[in-house]
Amino acid sequence: MKLAIYPGSFDPVTYGHLNVIERGAQIMDRLIVAVLDNPSKHSMFTMEERVDMLKQVTKHIPNVEVDCSHGLLYEYAKQKNCQLLIRGIRFYAEFESEFQRALLLKKLDPKLETMFLPTESEYSYLSSSVVKEIASFGGDIRQMVPPYVEKMIQKRLKVR
């Protein structure tokens, strides 16, 4: 069975993330989308909310499982008995940092491989940060995130 983990903060999940998830699920028998804690980022949503959003927008993909982890990625992969990570790449400059991260993970766990999957070009401009910024100014994000995620963002911004 081909198993991979697609890790990220997904704060919030965008159509770019969903594009990588759908394509990764076509390649793999089973794909775990893992929401990870990133202490260096200030999250709009709790980990539980991000897991919920991902479950909602991936429920049409039968071989996708959504999970979360508060620890180190290579330890999480070991716990799941997984030796392959999928990393979405939007543009060349992002590849450099992702490549460095892949080399570091390989040093920590020599069995752990990383596969880079570029997003479709129509999503290469898209990031969670851009979505949050546009939404915070009342901009239209319907073409950037699934409807359920848009509602969650609008709800969160009204609370603030």
Side-chain angles (χ1 to χ4, degrees):
M1 177 191 282
K2 293 184 290 182
L3 167 67
I5 295 171
Y6 175 38
S9 55
F10 305 105
D11 186 47
V13 59
T14 69
Y15 279 131
H17 293 127
L18 197 52
N19 175 258
V20 172
I21 293 168
E22 288 171 342
R23 291 170 49 232
Q26 289 174 356
I27 297 167
M28 307 308 296
D29 296 321
R30 186 168 154 234
L31 179 64
I32 300 172
V33 179
V35 179
L36 301 178
D37 238 351
N38 187 340
S40 66
K41 290 185 177 181
H42 177 71
S43 299
M44 175 181 267
F45 295 101
T46 66
M47 185 173 280
E48 292 76 21
E49 289 169 326
R50 290 179 274 157
V51 166
D52 171 64
M53 284 187 276
L54 279 160
K55 284 181 178 180
Q56 289 297 319
V57 302
T58 61
K59 62 184 171 188
H60 67 285
I61 314 169
N63 62 330
V64 167
E65 171 189 333
V66 179
D67 196 15
C68 61
S69 176
H70 294 280
L72 294 169
L73 177 57
Y74 80 97
E75 290 175 346
Y76 176 77
K78 204 175 276 189
Q79 172 193 345
K80 293 295 182 178
N81 200 25
C82 180
Q83 297 177 342
L84 180 64
L85 303 176
I86 292 179
R87 299 298 297 184
I89 302 290
R90 292 173 293 169
F91 46 84
Y92 181 75
E94 192 172 64
F95 175 77
E96 289 184 57
S97 63
E98 290 295 339
F99 185 70
Q100 182 181 21
R101 183 176 303 181
L103 292 174
L104 174 62
L105 286 167
K106 189 82 170 154
K107 187 73 171 171
L108 294 169
D109 183 353
K111 294 179 185 171
L112 193 56
E113 298 290 345
T114 301
M115 179 173 76
F116 299 107
L117 191 58
T119 60
E120 301 280 348
S121 60
E122 64 189 284
Y123 303 114
S124 62
Y125 70 93
L126 201 49
S127 72
S128 295
S129 300
V130 166
V131 169
K132 290 186 281 193
E133 182 178 346
I134 291 170
S136 71
F137 286 103
D140 184 0
I141 57 170
R142 286 178 293 183
Q143 294 181 5
M144 300 176 193
V145 296
Y148 181 78
V149 176
E150 179 190 14
K151 288 177 187 162
M152 293 290 289
I153 293 169
Q154 290 172 343
K155 182 179 172 184
R156 177 56 38 94
L157 290 174
K158 287 179 183 173
V159 172
R160 288 185 176 178

